[in-house]
Amino acid sequence: MRRHGPLFIQDNINETRLRTRSRSDRVLDSYLELYIRRLLPEHRFTSTFLALVYSALDENRMRAIAEKLYHFLAPKQLVSAEVLESAERYGCGLEIDDDPEEIINAMLYVSEAKGLQGEAIEILEGLSNFVREPMERVEKMESFSSLVNAYGLDSDELHLILFLFLVSINEKLLSLVSEWKTSEMLRGMSICTGVAQGRLRALISSNSKLRTYNLVEITPHQRFILELNDEVVEYLAASEMGSLYERFLRPAGSGAYPLDSFPVRRDQQELCRTLLSGSRPVQILLYGREGTGKTEFARALGAATGKKVYSFIRSEDSRRDNLTRLSLTLGALSSTDTIVIIDEAESILDGGKLWFGDFMMGNKDQKARINILLDQVRCPVIWIVNSIAGIQSSTLRRFTFSIEFRALKPQILAERVWTALETLPLSEGVKQRAAELASQRELTGAAIANLRAALEELAGHQLDEDRLIKYVDTLFSANSELVGGKQRVRERTGTTYNMDVLNLSQPPERILHAVAHHIATAQAGSNVSGRQVGGLRILFYGMPGTGKTELARHVAERVGCKLDIRRASDILSPYVGEAEKNIAAMFNEAEDSGDILLIDEADAFLYDRGRAHRSWEITQVDEFLTRMEEFRGVLICTTNLLGSLDRAVIRRFQLKVEFQPLHRSGTEELLRTYFPDLNFSAALLDSLAAKGPYVPGDFAVVHSMIAAMPDADITPDFIVQTLIEESRHRKPAGTSIGFTA
């Protein structure tokens, strides 16, 4: 724990200093004087105790005490002549060489040793004029009152906190209590606070409110075994900073984008704004993947209510400090005219994985503080997290409303780029191209803000448009790869694509017609045979490289829909139950957007439940089956391993299309498409056919391989031989696994 320097008690405080002190300081002074008055008849005359007494006295009172003790002890001849002489001179207002405190101490020590402590105490009490009642009750001080509101403290709890606060900021009081033995500690605190020893013992027990809320800590290796939490000390000491909660809040701002520019349904926006505009302390939870605009949406939402909006300033030290700091802040906010935004709130709300370490260390009661905090909040709060995986269900139930944020759609990204670059001195061509590049990648809102900052700098360098566009492409590529692990989201097929060359179990035109008919029917809201149209589910299966994913791209392109590609990495999670949530969110997002949903390599998680070893392997397949039956859009799944799929999953696809290796005609057509400048002889074509079979992926690999080769090296013989080598990689080597004969 950090120690704080003296705030209001200094040696030999004079009257001028007292008159210039704040009212709260004078109230705290009066409580310290009250403690000293209560301790005087009970405490021994030790140097640390007397130093505390003297710190509350001015010089005139010190001289009066010295004079009175001189007249009391001189006739008894119990003190040395040197001490009496110094005491007499000091009492008369003369200067002395000795330390006045040491002279008074010597007389008090003798009085105690000779059984005259009672008379000495009467002298100290009579001349010190310490208060008998505090200047003002502590409950009326703003900072302490806020603490009572934040935690529902009773009078005994508050007076113990006041005592520990004074110990934290007053070195002489700290020195005194640090000398108390363990057996004396409760008695000393009881004398000062007026709280019975048995009650104090209960207040500092491990299951007490003060310990559960981490307001009071047991610190056996510190000078005093009991300490007030640092955040509480700093909070209580901030009485001269204006509004106390401003220490932990800053204005949130109105946000960079209008409210209707976010990928949130209009009815959800209106409900949030209505709830936050009301007079109740509602709790809104915004959750979803990082960089999807949750914070900007919260700012825009708060600004739309017309209320004051603040952002909570988190501590980087520990989760418990954040929870303590937030409890203090929200306890000071009693008005619903203020909205607080709490970003990156996992460190506060997470009652699962983040609290595991605290649980193992014996702090399992900490989790209950989260729910207590939510129940006691008296102003609207917007909580922002990237994941709800570790948040307890008992905590989630306390939120008034929640919105899930998903990856920003290409159209949203393009619009954000236009908005960000609108005022920059750039040509319309550069802005248009930047918007197009943004729509082709997985980007975050921060990437667009960074783009604006970079282009503001580059705009002053007189660069040509091609150079600027190249820089934009480089910036977006770096961000997309950093955040999503890939540079570009490819939704369209290349110019060399020809679906007629594919060797499918069903004609590709039939697949295209089925998808187009379903989309047209769904858009028209038509019924078939009096029943509402359900979803269209298509399974593409076959060996790798046969063109399954590419055909899905082509179909989406032909029917004018976006293709939402998901893989196992987008769905699976190390946390139990999270994969099921991701599956539900995936289908909901596709339903809302109208995109064609493509699940690539679905065998990675839709494996046969009969071979499952863990319960979650079964539940995620169950969840997928339920969601795919309820889904009213177009679902395409691809797999290289049909035999590993759960049989119930396979049965639910209306169209099952097998992708086989190319026929000879298809092979020769792709040769002409990929290598139009080369002439392949009949003998080469026969040689190629004899070594097959081939798949479209082989041609794509070879085509990319020759991109950096000199033209002279690219011959028909080289192409044919390379295709043959590529096809051999798919063929099993024929060697067995295990022991050799």
Side-chain angles (χ1 to χ4, degrees):
M1 298 287 289
R2 299 185 302 274
R3 283 298 177 186
H4 305 271
L7 177 69
F8 54 89
I9 296 294
Q10 303 291 340
D11 292 342
N12 301 323
I13 299 176
N14 56 43
E15 292 296 334
T16 302
R17 176 74 179 276
L18 285 171
R19 286 196 298 270
T20 60
R21 318 250 348 259
S22 70
R23 180 175 180 82
S24 62
D25 286 346
R26 296 197 301 273
V27 172
L28 294 174
D29 284 344
S30 69
Y31 270 99
L32 186 65
E33 286 190 17
L34 183 62
Y35 292 169
I36 296 172
R37 172 176 282 280
R38 290 173 174 176
L39 286 170
L40 269 174
E42 305 286 342
H43 207 284
R44 301 181 306 277
F45 286 155
T46 65
S47 60
T48 50
F49 174 59
L50 293 175
L52 175 65
V53 174
Y54 303 151
S55 69
L57 300 175
D58 58 28
E59 186 173 359
N60 290 334
R61 291 180 181 179
M62 290 286 288
R63 291 182 183 275
I65 291 172
E67 182 181 14
K68 190 73 172 180
L69 287 174
Y70 165 77
H71 290 296
F72 170 62
L73 293 173
K76 297 178 172 54
Q77 299 183 349
L78 299 175
V79 182
S80 68
E82 292 81 359
V83 170
L84 288 175
E85 180 182 357
S86 295
E88 183 181 21
R89 287 178 57 81
Y90 183 67
C92 294
L94 301 176
E95 295 298 324
I96 58 175
D97 295 332
D98 300 308
D99 183 351
E101 292 185 9
E102 293 297 328
I103 296 300
I104 297 175
N105 284 352
M107 293 188 288
L108 291 175
Y109 293 157
V110 169
S111 300
E112 185 176 52
K114 300 300 182 179
L116 303 174
Q117 184 176 9
E119 291 83 346
I121 290 173
E122 288 182 5
I123 293 173
L124 290 175
E125 288 180 333
L127 296 177
S128 61
N129 197 28
F130 292 135
V131 299
R132 297 181 180 275
E133 296 292 336
M135 176 181 172
E136 181 179 276
R137 294 184 60 84
V138 65
E139 293 89 339
K140 294 184 178 181
M141 298 177 65
E142 183 181 4
S143 56
F144 286 88
S145 175
S146 297
L147 200 64
V148 170
N149 293 333
Y151 293 98
L153 304 178
D154 62 27
S155 178
D156 290 346
E157 291 166 332
L158 183 61
H159 279 85
L160 176 56
I161 286 177
L162 171 63
F163 173 79
L164 295 177
F165 175 62
L166 292 175
V167 170
S168 297
I169 62 175
N170 187 279
E171 184 65 30
K172 287 186 169 55
L173 182 58
L174 172 61
S175 297
L176 173 65
V177 300
S178 298
E179 286 187 347
W180 292 346
K181 300 176 182 178
T182 303
S183 58
E184 298 173 329
M185 183 181 67
L186 286 177
R187 182 186 176 192
M189 291 194 301
S190 178
I191 292 171
C192 291
T193 62
V195 179
Q197 293 186 47
R199 174 62 174 155
L200 285 172
R201 188 177 291 107
L203 292 182
I204 61 175
S205 63
S206 60
N207 61 348
S208 68
K209 181 185 295 185
L210 298 182
R211 293 280 301 283
T212 298
Y213 286 171
N214 197 39
L215 298 177
V216 173
E217 300 174 344
I218 301 294
T219 54
H221 301 296
Q222 297 291 341
R223 294 172 62 184
F224 185 50
I225 195 171
L226 274 178
E227 284 194 336
L228 205 57
N229 182 285
D230 281 341
E231 297 287 352
V232 179
V233 172
E234 293 178 5
Y235 179 80
L236 294 176
S239 59
E240 295 181 356
M241 297 173 59
S243 299
L244 295 176
Y245 59 84
E246 290 179 359
R247 178 179 180 82
F248 306 134
L249 297 174
R250 61 169 172 263
S254 58
Y257 306 102
L259 189 59
D260 58 5
S261 69
F262 292 88
V264 177
R265 296 201 315 264
R266 181 61 59 85
D267 60 326
Q268 292 179 321
Q269 292 184 17
E270 290 298 326
L271 179 56
C272 280
R273 185 163 62 177
T274 301
L275 290 171
L276 292 169
S277 299
S279 58
R280 298 180 62 83
V282 296
Q283 310 290 300
I284 305 295
L285 178 65
L286 306 181
Y287 67 98
R289 61 182 297 176
E290 188 175 1
T292 49
K294 300 183 293 294
T295 303
E296 288 296 326
F297 176 74
R299 290 171 178 165
L301 189 61
T305 66
K307 295 184 176 182
K308 297 178 181 178
V309 185
Y310 293 95
S311 292
F312 174 66
I313 303 173
R314 295 180 302 108
S315 168
E316 300 299 331
D317 294 338
S318 74
R319 295 187 296 278
R320 290 191 300 166
D321 283 349
N322 276 325
L323 194 53
T324 300
R325 175 179 290 198
L326 184 60
S327 298
L328 294 169
T329 304
L330 297 181
L333 288 168
S334 59
S335 172
T336 56
D337 291 335
T338 299
I339 297 173
V340 176
I341 298 173
I342 306 173
D343 206 353
E344 300 181 26
E346 288 93 340
S347 62
I348 299 172
L349 293 175
D350 196 311
K353 59 184 185 296
L354 292 182
W355 286 104
F356 181 73
D358 291 330
F359 178 83
M360 295 300 292
M361 293 174 64
N363 295 325
K364 59 184 178 180
D365 292 333
Q366 296 285 354
K367 292 187 290 185
R369 297 175 58 197
I370 304 169
N371 294 340
I372 294 172
L373 171 65
L374 289 171
D375 291 339
Q376 294 180 343
V377 169
R378 296 178 297 162
C379 70
V381 180
I382 303 175
W383 303 79
I384 301 174
V385 299
N386 294 329
S387 173
I388 59 174
I391 303 178
Q392 300 291 305
S393 58
S394 60
T395 300
L396 292 174
R397 289 196 298 267
R398 285 170 161 80
F399 290 102
T400 312
F401 189 61
S402 63
I403 298 177
E404 181 181 9
F405 279 68
R406 300 161 183 143
L408 295 174
K409 292 294 183 181
Q411 180 182 355
I412 299 293
L413 289 169
E415 292 174 354
R416 292 287 174 83
V417 169
W418 273 108
T419 302
L421 305 184
E422 186 175 9
T423 59
L424 294 185
L426 301 171
S427 69
E428 293 299 307
V430 171
K431 296 176 182 177
Q432 177 66 39
R433 185 57 183 148
E436 292 174 357
L437 290 171
S439 67
Q440 297 170 3
R441 291 173 169 81
E442 289 188 5
L443 298 175
T444 64
I448 297 173
N450 293 337
L451 171 68
R452 175 183 170 85
L455 289 181
E456 280 182 324
E457 177 65 25
L458 294 173
H461 290 266
Q462 304 299 319
L463 299 176
D464 58 60
E465 291 191 0
D466 290 341
R467 180 68 62 86
L468 283 174
I469 291 172
K470 182 178 180 180
Y471 284 152
V472 171
D473 189 45
T474 302
L475 286 168
F476 281 165
S477 295
N479 180 265
S480 183
E481 189 170 14
L482 181 65
V483 175
K486 52 190 175 183
Q487 291 187 358
R488 187 182 298 268
V489 178
R490 187 165 64 90
E491 296 178 346
R492 303 177 67 85
T493 53
T495 57
T496 58
Y497 187 78
N498 181 2
M499 73 175 185
D500 293 330
V501 305
L502 299 177
N503 182 12
L504 309 181
S505 61
Q506 298 192 37
E509 285 295 339
R510 180 181 299 173
I511 302 169
L512 184 60
H513 175 74
V515 173
H517 177 72
H518 178 274
I519 292 174
T521 303
Q523 289 176 346
S526 303
N527 290 340
V528 178
S529 301
R531 293 173 297 177
Q532 189 172 6
V533 179
L536 176 61
R537 301 180 290 273
I538 306 173
L539 178 63
F540 290 169
Y541 66 95
M543 62 191 303
T546 47
K548 299 181 289 294
T549 304
E550 203 70 3
L551 179 59
R553 286 193 176 98
H554 182 70
V555 168
E557 183 181 340
R558 288 281 298 274
V559 299
C561 285
K562 297 284 186 181
L563 186 66
D564 186 358
I565 302 177
R566 301 297 180 99
R567 297 178 175 84
S569 60
D570 300 315
I571 297 170
L572 299 179
S573 170
Y575 305 111
V576 176
E578 187 70 7
E580 289 84 344
K581 294 178 182 178
N582 292 338
I583 290 170
M586 172 182 69
F587 279 104
N588 289 337
E589 182 176 354
E591 187 97 50
D592 293 341
S593 65
D595 296 348
I596 294 176
L597 179 59
L598 172 65
I599 301 178
D600 210 7
E601 299 182 3
D603 49 87
F605 66 96
L606 294 179
Y607 28 71
D608 190 346
R609 287 171 291 179
R611 291 179 287 180
H613 298 288
R614 304 170 184 84
S615 61
W616 52 263
E617 294 176 335
I618 298 175
T619 57
Q620 67 188 26
V621 176
D622 291 341
E623 178 69 20
F624 189 90
L625 287 171
T626 301
R627 294 293 177 172
M628 74 182 294
E629 287 188 332
E630 296 175 350
F631 183 56
R632 301 190 183 281
V634 178
L635 169 66
I636 302 175
C637 290
T638 72
T639 179
N640 300 329
L641 304 170
L642 181 66
S644 67
L645 287 183
D646 190 273
R647 311 315 295 175
V649 173
I650 297 175
R651 289 196 302 271
R652 282 166 170 78
F653 290 101
Q654 297 105 322
L655 289 178
K656 305 174 187 67
V657 183
E658 182 180 8
F659 284 63
Q660 300 171 344
L662 297 167
H663 292 302
R664 177 166 179 164
S665 60
T667 300
E668 294 179 1
E669 178 63 28
L670 286 183
L671 276 176
R672 290 188 292 270
T673 301
Y674 276 95
F675 314 106
D677 298 330
L678 299 179
N679 293 318
F680 295 88
S681 66
L684 275 177
L685 294 177
D686 290 339
S687 174
L688 183 66
K691 301 292 185 178
Y694 307 96
V695 298
D698 296 335
F699 293 84
V701 170
V702 175
H703 187 262
S704 64
M705 183 187 305
I706 67 174
M709 291 177 57
D711 292 343
D713 295 340
I714 304 172
T715 65
D717 288 323
F718 175 80
I719 296 298
V720 169
Q721 187 59 39
T722 307
L723 283 170
I724 292 172
E725 291 295 328
E726 189 64 32
S727 69
R728 288 175 180 169
H729 295 317
R730 292 192 313 279
K731 297 179 181 180
T735 58
S736 60
I737 298 176
F739 295 100
T740 59

